[in-house]
Each structure stands twice: as C-alpha cells, then as structure tokens.
Amino acid sequence: MFGRIIIKDNVFIGLNSIILPGVTIGTNVVIGAGSIVTRSIPDNTIVAGNPARKICTINEFEIKRKNLFLNSKQLDFNEKKSKVLNEKNRYINR
C-alpha cells in the first residue's frame, strides 16, 4: 500500500515513531516517542501510543501545566536555581 504522508507546520515527532502511508498530520501536533500513527491527526493535538490516540489538545496541556512554567527572565542564576529546585521538590512531593 502506497500513500502520501502529509506533515504540516510545527510538528514534533518523537523518536522511533512510525507513520503509516496515507496519513495527514495537522499543524501544531506532538506525537509521543514510539507511537504508531495509523490515522490522520487534527490540528493542535497531542497523541501517543500503539496505535496513536489523542491524549489532549495543546490548549488543554497548557492549562494543566501552566503552574509548572517558570517565569525566570528577571532572575539571576542563583534565584533561578533555587526556584527550579523548589518547583522540582514540590512536584516530587505531590
């Protein structure tokens, strides 16, 4: 079976992923490592697994993980280091 694979803009394909012929991957898509993509993937989606299934949208991921994003632009090296270590410890102790 032969078919064209179409990969649109801003797509991340994880290591050892397999994309079967005839699949279209939309814009802003993340494919988890080792996934086997058997069907087309819509825009702004995160998929993973065998076969690849939708985990969530990019927007849902951003909302879930927003508290883990660190705004460290104004901080010096030692302040950044302590903030990252505090966040890491807080995440581990959940």
Side-chain angles (χ1 to χ4, degrees):
M1 177 165 101
F2 293 98
R4 179 169 276 178
I5 297 172
I6 299 171
I7 301 175
K8 296 186 179 177
D9 294 331
N10 199 26
V11 173
F12 175 83
I13 301 172
L15 183 68
N16 293 329
S17 293
I18 298 171
I19 302 171
L20 296 181
V23 169
T24 299
I25 299 173
T27 305
N28 298 327
V29 170
V30 176
I31 300 172
S35 297
I36 299 178
V37 181
T38 58
R39 290 185 244 164
S40 294
I41 303 171
D43 295 346
N44 302 311
T45 305
I46 299 173
V47 299
N50 176 12
R53 296 175 194 229
K54 178 180 176 183
I55 304 297
C56 63
T57 67
I58 296 290
N59 293 333
E60 291 169 348
F61 179 77
E62 181 182 4
I63 290 167
K64 284 187 217 174
R65 302 295 179 192
K66 196 164 195 133
N67 64 338
L68 296 178
F69 298 152
L70 300 176
N71 184 5
S72 62
K73 189 173 184 177
Q74 307 291 333
L75 305 177
D76 68 19
F77 175 77
N78 290 326
E79 290 172 326
K80 286 181 187 180
K81 182 178 176 181
S82 67
K83 190 168 184 169
V84 167
L85 291 174
N86 287 339
E87 288 296 320
K88 179 187 129 198
N89 290 335
R90 195 180 91 184
Y91 183 75
I92 289 172
N93 294 328
R94 283 185 183 183

